[in-house]
Amino acid sequence: MMPFHTCGPNEVMVVSGCCLSKPLLVPGGRAFVWPVLQMIQKISLNTMTLQIQSDHVYTQLGVAISVTGIAQVKIQGQNKEMLEAACQQFLGKREEDIRRIAQETLEGHQRAIMGNMTVEEIYKDRKKFSRAVFEVASSDLVNMGISVVSYTLKDIKDEEGYLKALGKSRTAQVKRDARIGEAEARRDAGIKEAMAEEERMASRYLNDIEIAKAQRDYELKKASFDQEVLTKKAQAELAYDLQVPPLLLLQPPSS
């Protein structure tokens, strides 16, 4: 028997026996094992996909539904405390046994969360339901050395037609909201168009007013200028008349 043993990155070797105060954990590597005096066991770190089925569970308001969830779980090999806990719980057990224990734990938490929520909450907010199951199950399975990688709500069903009626109600609501939204969009478009036309007319009126004011100012200035010209002309003629001797004006023309 070879004294050196190896394992892949998806396994953990657990060496126990003589000269060891506690088991030696070797995740993905090699270890020296004394033949006969020491024993080596392995535990898988592979991710396990579990289908979590909860049938005919009564929700918060007494409506029974069935839920199917998909969970990804694995024994955590990077955390020493969790790995030691997993070894205490599962060392020597088959992977099927580990899967069954994890599945039963998840199914219990899934049923508990279903009982604390209404059908409408589960149906309309699947992420909230999935997050609740994930958080509660993770806090429990971590004590066994198992980490929940992911949890997703796959399907919701009922035998009384409650979900079908809820879907019809939701569809009718969506259609109604679409009609209301379309009407509001047309109304808003009409309002914006009227406002734009009002602004255009106001701008036009303002422009006409400015043109009229400019025309008026021009006429006033022109009239003032013409008056000033006439005044200057009259003053000039008067000054000329005053400068010509009166006798020259009375003297008859020579023959």
Side-chain angles (χ1 to χ4, degrees):
M1 182 181 293
M2 294 294 294
F4 278 102
H5 293 262
T6 62
C7 67
N10 62 331
E11 293 179 306
V12 172
M13 288 189 299
V14 183
V15 182
S16 59
C18 180
C19 302
L20 294 172
S21 59
K22 62 179 183 178
L24 174 65
L25 307 179
V26 183
R30 69 174 185 170
F32 181 86
V33 180
W34 288 101
V36 181
L37 299 178
Q38 293 179 334
M39 179 176 65
I40 182 170
Q41 295 172 285
K42 294 182 180 181
I43 188 168
S44 174
L45 299 180
N46 289 328
T47 299
M48 296 173 282
T49 301
L50 309 176
Q51 180 169 299
I52 315 300
Q53 185 70 38
S54 300
D55 294 324
H56 203 72
V57 179
Y58 286 96
T59 55
Q60 190 177 59
L61 298 181
V63 180
I65 61 172
S66 299
V67 162
T68 303
I70 301 296
Q72 302 271 350
V73 301
K74 64 174 296 184
I75 291 175
Q76 182 56 259
Q78 302 302 319
N79 186 298
K80 185 178 180 181
E81 293 181 357
M82 290 182 66
L83 187 55
E84 289 177 352
C87 290
Q88 292 175 6
Q89 294 284 337
F90 306 119
L91 195 61
K93 288 185 169 61
R94 298 174 305 169
E95 185 172 318
E96 289 77 9
D97 296 328
I98 301 174
R99 293 171 65 93
R100 178 180 53 78
I101 293 171
Q103 187 161 4
E104 290 176 353
T105 303
L106 277 160
E107 204 272 332
H109 290 304
Q110 182 172 271
R111 295 177 71 92
I113 298 299
M114 290 169 66
N116 289 328
M117 295 178 68
T118 65
V119 178
E120 287 78 7
E121 287 177 323
I122 299 173
Y123 180 77
K124 294 178 181 179
D125 196 347
R126 295 189 175 206
K127 287 185 178 180
K128 178 182 177 181
F129 178 83
S130 298
R131 184 168 58 251
V133 176
F134 177 85
E135 291 175 354
V136 175
S138 294
S139 63
D140 193 6
L141 287 172
V142 71
N143 296 321
M144 303 180 191
I146 296 177
S147 65
V148 181
V149 179
S150 66
Y151 172 88
T152 304
L153 176 58
K154 179 182 178 182
D155 192 23
I156 309 172
K157 294 185 294 186
D158 78 303
E159 299 176 359
E160 306 297 331
Y162 188 90
L163 290 171
K164 186 176 180 180
L166 190 64
K168 287 183 178 179
S169 174
R170 178 58 181 162
T171 301
Q173 182 182 356
V174 169
K175 290 182 178 178
R176 184 200 63 193
D177 292 345
R179 289 194 298 268
I180 292 173
E182 185 178 355
E184 290 179 346
R186 287 198 300 266
R187 180 201 63 193
D188 293 344
I191 292 173
K192 289 181 179 179
E193 185 177 351
M195 291 176 62
E197 179 63 18
E198 184 179 350
E199 291 179 0
R200 187 184 70 81
M201 294 301 296
S203 177
R204 178 180 174 181
Y205 293 150
L206 183 61
N207 187 53
D208 290 345
I209 291 171
E210 292 296 327
I211 292 174
K213 286 176 63 178
Q215 184 68 26
R216 183 199 62 189
D217 292 344
Y218 170 75
E219 296 294 343
L220 289 174
K221 288 182 179 180
K222 184 175 183 301
S224 176
F225 177 75
D226 291 344
Q227 183 64 35
E228 186 178 354
V229 169
L230 291 174
T231 302
K232 293 292 185 181
K233 184 177 180 182
Q235 290 177 351
E237 291 177 352
L238 179 60
Y240 177 77
D241 292 341
L242 292 175
Q243 291 176 2
V244 176
L247 293 177
L248 294 176
L249 295 175
L250 297 175
Q251 183 177 357
S254 57
S255 55

